[in-house]
Structure formats: structure tokens, C-alpha cells
Amino acid sequence: MRILIVDDHAGFRRVARRLLEARGLDVVGEAGNGREALAMTEQLCPQVVVLDVLLPDMDGFVVAHELAGLPAPPRVVLISSLTRAELGTRLDAVPVAGFLAKEDLSAERLAELAGPPPCPG
């Protein structure tokens, strides 16, 4: 599974990368804001984008909608330090595979939400 991590905190990106790579997942890149996320998704073609809801330049929900409009959209898993209850109904209206609280991020939970990678070719 090729993964792009999008979060404005470099420390969280480092920890998330180590956590996922230690379980055999392929983190192909990291982005610190929404514009970087969109550009890197087109460049790196990740299968899954782990996307923070709160970004400095664009709302994560807006980024998720933009990603869904790509010709070959990745699966998006939203993450946040906010709870599902705090995010409310916005989670139900966004085209994503699921939501994880940052503290619950693991390779296993990510795989559960994102599903298996697509078959090659």
C-alpha cells in the first residue's frame, strides 16, 4: 500500500511514517499543507492519503473533495486530534474511506479503513 501522509506538524508526520513503515507499509511522501498534498498526490500516485482535517492553507475536507475529483482518486482516511463528535456531520458528507483520531493511527486500522490495495494492471 503506497501512502502519502498529510499533516502540518512535522513531528507527527515522522512518527506516523515510522509507525506505518515498521508494519511494512510504503510511505511514498509527506506533505505539510493542502496544496502540497494535491501536487504530491498527482506526482506520486499514492493508493491512500492519510489527511489531517486541520491544515494551514486549506481545510482537509476541501482537500478530500479535490482528491475525489482526480481521474484515479486515492482512498482518503481523515485524521485529527479532534474527535468524531467534534467534527460532527461534516464527516458524513465527505468522500473518504474513513476517519481515525490521531492517537488511534496504526497500520492495522489504516488497512481496515482503506481496504486492500487494488490489483496491479
Side-chain angles (χ1 to χ4, degrees):
M1 187 181 311
R2 296 169 46 83
I3 299 168
L4 173 66
I5 299 170
V6 183
D7 193 281
D8 57 327
H9 293 99
F12 177 80
R13 292 194 310 266
R14 278 192 303 275
V15 169
R17 176 186 279 270
R18 275 187 257 143
L19 178 86
L20 298 174
E21 288 180 338
R23 302 298 282 174
L25 299 179
D26 182 17
V27 177
V28 296
E30 299 176 18
N33 63 53
R35 285 180 184 30
E36 284 180 3
L38 295 171
M40 291 181 81
T41 297
E42 290 194 42
Q43 178 186 20
L44 301 173
C45 300
Q47 295 163 316
V48 176
V49 174
V50 176
L51 176 62
D52 190 12
V53 170
L54 302 174
L55 297 171
D57 63 339
M58 297 174 74
D59 182 277
F61 293 106
V62 172
V63 176
H65 280 286
E66 294 278 335
L67 292 172
L70 294 175
R75 295 180 194 117
V76 175
V77 174
L78 288 175
I79 59 169
S80 183
S81 54
L82 301 173
T83 66
R84 178 177 284 282
E86 290 171 309
L87 293 171
T89 58
R90 289 190 74 192
L91 282 176
D92 299 328
V94 68
V96 297
F99 169 79
L100 282 172
K102 284 185 179 183
E103 62 196 31
D104 295 332
L105 179 63
S106 70
E108 294 78 17
R109 289 289 292 133
L110 186 60
E112 284 174 22
L113 290 173
C119 296

